[in-house]
């Protein structure tokens, strides 16, 4: 069916007159008649009762008129919706990030997004960085905030933030009296780390090996607050980014700098290389 025929029918139905419809729409009366006749043939119904002195809609005409108005209204809204989408006014983004990153940074990210693009929604997936990379690569989520480095042959990488690692110990631990501790001094300590599915697990173990020892791991957890509580219970010590100190107030925990070159927690936003970026995602990325 031709939309032009729907427009012609709606005009005639609005005025219940081919003559008045022609005057209002600046379409010739023969063209209007031709369009209405064509629509009747395609739908196999009679739209107007032409047997009386005044034009009236048939029962079928009432239905087509009601549905036709909705169709034309939806089509009229389509350019506006697409314009909103192009401007990043609306849309949904699926973002993945490890729980620790989510705890530290997502509230501010969500606040900034709501302020600048109130109609863009975020579907948050809190998972380990390794899993997030797999989901981004498979196209199941749009972007991920992960611990760097990562495979730049697969991902577009946008650096997000860099933070220093600190040693977190109980206030009764001998290290708590020190101004700084070398990473190599942790060789005889019980470390509490994130679970193996988290990039921080691999990163800390790699840093310890570079310092000359294989760390002894007493506990693993996927929850940063549980790691802190285990340290507070004197069950080990841990290495965490400095920014985590803003999220707890346990007076039994002491945070100590590491000696030597800083051990850095580098975060980045990754998207799949050469993949389509929605207007919402493009505007989201501009915030960083």
């Amino acid at each position: 069916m031709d939309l032009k025929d729907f427009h012609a029918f709606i005009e005639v139905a609005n005025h219940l007159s081919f003559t008045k419809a022609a005057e209002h729409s600046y379409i010739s009366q023969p063209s209007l008649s031709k369009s209405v006749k064509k629509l009747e043939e395609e739908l196999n119904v009679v739209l107007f009762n032409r047997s009386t002195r005044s034009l009236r809609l048939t029962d079928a005409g009432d239905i087509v008129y009601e549905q036709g108005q909705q169709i034309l209204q939806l089509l009229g809204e389509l350019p506006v919706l697409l314009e909103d989408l192009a401007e990043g006014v609306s849309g949904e983004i699926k973002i993945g990030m490890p729980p620790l990153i989510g705890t530290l940074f997502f509230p501010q990210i969500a606040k900034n997004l709501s302020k600048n693009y109130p109609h863009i929604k975020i579907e948050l997936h809190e998972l380990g960085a390794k899993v997030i990379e797999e989901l981004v690569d498979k196209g199941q989520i749009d972007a991920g905030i992960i611990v760097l480095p990562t495979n730049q042959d697969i991902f577009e990488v946008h650096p997000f933030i860099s933070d220093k690692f600190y040693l977190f110990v109980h206030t009764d631990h001998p290290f708590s009296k020190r101004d700084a501790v070398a990473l190599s001094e942790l060789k005889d300590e019980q470390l509490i780390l994130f679970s193996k599915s988290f990039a921080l697990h691999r990163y800390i173990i790699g840093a310890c090996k570079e310092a000359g020892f294989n760390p002894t791991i007493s506990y693993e957890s996927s929850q940063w607050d549980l790691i802190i509580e285990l340290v507070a219970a004197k069950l080990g010590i841990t290495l965490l980014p400095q920014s985590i100190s803003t999220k707890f107030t346990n007076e039994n925990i002491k945070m100590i700098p590491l000696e030597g070159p800083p051990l850095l927690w580098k975060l980045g936003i990754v998207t799949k290389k050469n993949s389509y970026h929605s207007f919402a995602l493009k505007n989201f990325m501009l915030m960083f």
Side-chain angles (χ1 to χ4, degrees):
M1 287 177 286
D2 194 329
L3 288 174
K4 175 175 67 68
D5 298 333
F6 266 110
H7 278 287
F9 165 68
I10 295 296
E11 283 294 337
V12 176
N14 283 337
H15 296 88
L16 292 177
S17 167
F18 282 93
T19 302
K20 291 180 180 178
E23 293 173 353
H24 183 268
S25 63
Y26 302 102
I27 302 172
S28 69
Q29 187 170 331
S31 294
L32 289 173
S33 297
K34 183 178 178 181
S35 289
V36 171
K37 185 65 176 176
K38 181 181 175 185
L39 190 60
E40 287 179 321
E41 291 173 352
E42 289 178 342
L43 296 174
N44 196 29
V45 294
V46 175
L47 298 174
F48 291 106
N49 185 345
R50 299 173 175 83
S51 62
T52 58
R53 295 185 62 181
S54 60
L55 206 61
R56 290 191 297 109
L57 286 168
T58 62
D59 290 343
D62 284 331
I63 293 173
V64 175
Y65 178 70
E66 181 180 342
Q67 296 299 314
Q69 283 186 309
Q70 292 184 33
I71 290 170
L72 295 179
Q73 180 182 350
L74 290 172
L75 286 172
E77 293 173 354
L78 187 58
V80 177
L81 292 172
L82 291 176
E83 183 179 354
D84 285 350
L85 187 64
E87 293 177 356
V89 175
S90 62
E92 182 177 86
I93 313 167
K94 295 180 180 179
I95 304 293
M97 61 185 73
L100 178 57
I101 296 175
T103 297
L104 294 177
F105 305 111
F106 182 71
Q108 189 60 47
I109 290 172
K111 182 178 179 180
N112 292 341
L113 187 70
S114 177
K115 178 181 178 181
N116 294 294
Y117 307 104
H119 298 295
I120 293 180
K121 298 179 181 179
I122 290 182
E123 181 181 307
L124 180 62
H125 298 256
E126 288 192 283
L127 301 160
K130 186 177 180 181
V131 178
I132 289 169
E133 287 178 300
E134 292 174 358
L135 293 178
V136 173
D137 185 36
K138 292 177 181 178
Q140 295 180 12
I141 59 176
D142 300 305
I145 302 180
I146 63 168
V147 179
L148 300 178
T150 188
N151 189 342
Q152 297 195 34
D153 292 331
I154 300 175
F155 302 113
E156 294 285 351
V157 181
H158 308 266
F160 174 48
I161 200 167
S162 182
D163 196 8
K164 291 181 181 179
F165 274 90
Y166 276 68
L167 183 64
F168 289 73
V169 302
H170 192 279
T171 51
D172 289 342
H173 194 285
F175 286 157
S176 68
K177 307 297 188 290
R178 300 271 297 275
D179 293 329
V181 175
L183 191 59
S184 59
E185 294 181 80
L186 307 186
K187 63 181 180 179
D188 297 322
E189 297 293 328
Q190 300 286 320
L191 289 183
I192 303 169
L193 301 182
F194 275 93
S195 305
K196 292 181 179 65
S197 62
F198 289 79
L200 280 179
H201 180 99
R202 302 189 300 275
Y203 183 69
I204 295 299
I205 289 179
C208 290
K209 287 182 177 179
E210 285 187 12
F213 70 100
N214 288 315
T216 300
I217 302 171
S218 56
Y219 292 93
E220 295 178 6
S221 173
S222 61
Q223 304 296 324
W224 69 268
D225 49 349
L226 177 56
I227 290 175
I228 291 294
E229 290 304 314
L230 290 171
V231 174
K234 302 182 182 181
L235 295 173
I237 63 176
T238 192
L239 291 162
L240 290 172
Q242 180 184 12
S243 50
I244 199 70
S245 64
T246 64
K247 296 297 179 180
F248 72 90
T249 56
N250 194 315
E251 296 180 354
N252 293 318
I253 300 292
K254 178 75 179 294
M255 187 173 70
I256 306 161
L258 293 173
E259 287 181 355
L263 190 61
L264 294 177
W265 190 45
K266 297 180 180 179
L267 305 180
I269 304 174
V270 296
T271 56
K272 187 173 182 179
K273 186 168 284 188
N274 301 320
S275 66
Y276 170 73
H277 287 186
S278 68
F279 295 115
L281 180 58
K282 288 177 182 176
N283 281 279
F284 173 79
M285 299 298 291
L286 290 174
M287 292 171 49
F288 301 96

